[in-house]
Amino acid sequence: MRKSIGLIVLACLLCACSGTQRYDEEAQEKYQEYVAAIAANKGAESSDIPFAHDITMEKETDGYAYEITIKEPITAMYQIEFMAVDGEQIKADDVTHPSLGILDSDEVYHMVPYQEDQEKDFYRSLSLKGKVKKSEGSLYVMVAWKDYAKLNTHRVYFTYAYQNDEAQEKEE
């Protein structure tokens, strides 16, 4: 009897661990898919971006730290996923690009106009922080979200070209 109870407990633990591993593998696959989508986009800008965004950069001893913020949505955005890729490292496999809502899939982020309740995962703005080594280059950004019904997924892309401690939105 003790052996069978021990085997049942062991089987439950193994099932729980394999479920977590599968969940992590799915998040990693989605992460890799988004990096590939950003690379395939080749810096093209979306024409209709339903939120404001900006970047700040600061010089550090080992490069430059940046913070990209999305804010002031004009449409309801649920289950937001947000990623930035340094143009210099877009094809590097050994680099982890900053992301929000992708690898940390146990966290959920929503932005709805004029609503904020962080306890319920509704935010006024979201920020993504990362580092670059060079003083000039490009950051490629993708933001994905679901609509109110959570049936349709939308993606937008934008690029920040930065040079000498200053970052500016890419002008076309």
Side-chain angles (χ1 to χ4, degrees), residues 45-59:
E45 302 269 332
S46 297
S47 60
D48 187 22
I49 300 176
F51 51 83
H53 54 90
D54 60 37
I55 186 171
T56 57
M57 294 191 84
E58 290 184 22
K59 184 164 178 41

Side-chain angles (χ1 to χ4, degrees), residues 12-134:
C12 289
L13 288 173
L14 288 174
C15 288
C17 291
S18 67
T20 302
Q21 183 179 4
R22 183 173 57 245
Y23 190 67
D24 290 343
E25 287 173 6
E26 288 174 6
Q28 189 64 34
E29 284 177 19
K30 182 183 273 191
Y31 172 88
Q32 293 299 335
E33 174 192 326
Y34 284 174
V35 171
I38 292 170
N41 189 53
K42 298 179 182 175
E45 302 269 332
S46 297
S47 60
D48 187 22
I49 300 176
F51 51 83
H53 54 90
D54 60 37
I55 186 171
T56 57
M57 294 191 84
E58 290 184 22
K59 184 164 178 41
E60 294 187 342
T61 56
D62 59 341
Y64 297 84
Y66 64 85
E67 180 175 9
I68 300 170
T69 303
I70 61 173
K71 57 189 175 187
E72 302 169 13
I74 59 174
T75 188
M77 302 169 64
Y78 294 89
Q79 299 174 349
I80 296 170
E81 298 168 324
F82 183 12
M83 175 182 270
V85 176
D86 180 6
E88 296 288 320
Q89 299 177 337
I90 202 161
K91 302 222 183 217
D93 290 333
D94 60 341
V95 175
T96 302
H97 306 287
S99 66
L100 185 76
I102 302 168
L103 294 175
D104 56 341
S105 49
D106 57 330
E107 297 289 327
V108 180
Y109 305 94
H110 312 297
M111 288 176 39
V112 176
Y114 311 109
Q115 294 185 27
E116 181 178 18
D117 186 348
Q118 293 184 8
E119 290 180 7
K120 294 183 180 178
D121 304 319
F122 287 87
Y123 296 88
R124 181 177 304 246
S125 65
L126 296 171
S127 293
L128 192 63
K129 296 179 180 183
K131 290 187 176 187
V132 292
K133 293 181 181 179
K134 295 187 176 184

Side-chain angles (χ1 to χ4, degrees), residues 126-167:
L126 296 171
S127 293
L128 192 63
K129 296 179 180 183
K131 290 187 176 187
V132 292
K133 293 181 181 179
K134 295 187 176 184
S135 64
E136 59 183 77
S138 295
L139 288 168
Y140 302 110
V141 183
M142 183 204 71
V143 180
W145 70 93
K146 293 188 177 184
D147 62 7
Y148 178 77
K150 298 182 181 137
L151 296 175
N152 300 312
T153 300
H154 305 274
R155 285 186 191 176
V156 293
Y157 299 89
F158 52 94
T159 302
Y160 283 108
Y162 59 91
Q163 183 175 10
N164 299 326
D165 295 339
E166 303 264 337

